[in-house]
Amino acid sequence: MEIDAGRFTVRLARDEIDIAGAQRLRYRVFVEELGASAKDNERALRREIDEYDAHFEHLVLIDNESASDDPLDRVAGAYRLMTRERARAGIGFYGATEYDLGKLERLDREVVELGRSCVGAEVRGGAAMHLLWTGLGEYVTARGIEIMFGVASFHGADPEPLAHALSLLHHNHLAPEDLRVRALEESYTEMNRMPAEAVDRKLATRQIPALIKAYLRLGGSVGEGAFVDHDFNTVDVCLLMDTTRMVARYRDFYGREKGA
């Protein structure tokens, strides 16, 4: 799968250079911009690395006009993708470290986990994210995937300032029962922090990150409970997308298949 769009190319990582480039981009975004913690080897390499990387497929956005001579800096956007088949054959889903994914494991439907989504600051606000989503759509269509899920983050590890946003998600965007995964009990953080009538919707909307809002516009929903990730300095929610329930007018974000 490859999409050529002038300045950018979207494709699955071909080699270790592509994967290292995705890790370099993640370091720039998650560590340098957002304050995630990093190990000594990650600082030395300027790459955000974990034990799951070898088990995921990596969707990368290549900047063909990058001004840098370092090939790692050519990766301007990234997702990592894990099908249920790959998860069972390897290390399991990353999201299982935060949520009980039993409902997804038992589904008789194709599932993929999305993670580490990021776009470099120099290309944000343009076509980059849309191209990544188009690539994701081709991936999903080719594999007959019906359920997409993954943890998505609010910046900052204190849920209290996010009370309006988390409560809005709880009251208005909980996943259907058959998909409603739940944060692990030992780390469960309540999202229902105030009654629905007390939520300031304008404030809540401002607090919700753009990527989460985009998934919600596409018909996405969230699992029950949040997870505070102190290493990444985030409050995480589990986003879920049933492609058969997607809002029809937004389907073209996820694929070009005729009649989808």
Side-chain angles (χ1 to χ4, degrees), residues 43-54:
R43 292 191 186 93
L45 295 169
R46 292 190 63 240
R47 290 161 52 190
E48 191 270 311
I49 303 167
D50 71 13
E51 66 273 22
Y52 286 85
D53 277 327

Side-chain angles (χ1 to χ4, degrees), residues 204-215:
T205 301
R206 288 198 302 270
Q207 290 179 330
I208 296 174
L211 183 63
I212 295 178
K213 284 191 280 195
Y215 282 121

Side-chain angles (χ1 to χ4, degrees), residues 108-129:
D108 186 25
R109 306 171 72 186
E110 293 298 324
V111 173
V112 68
E113 180 177 27
L114 315 178
R116 293 297 201 273
S117 171
C118 57
V119 173
E122 66 280 2
V123 299
R124 287 181 202 149
M129 197 68 211

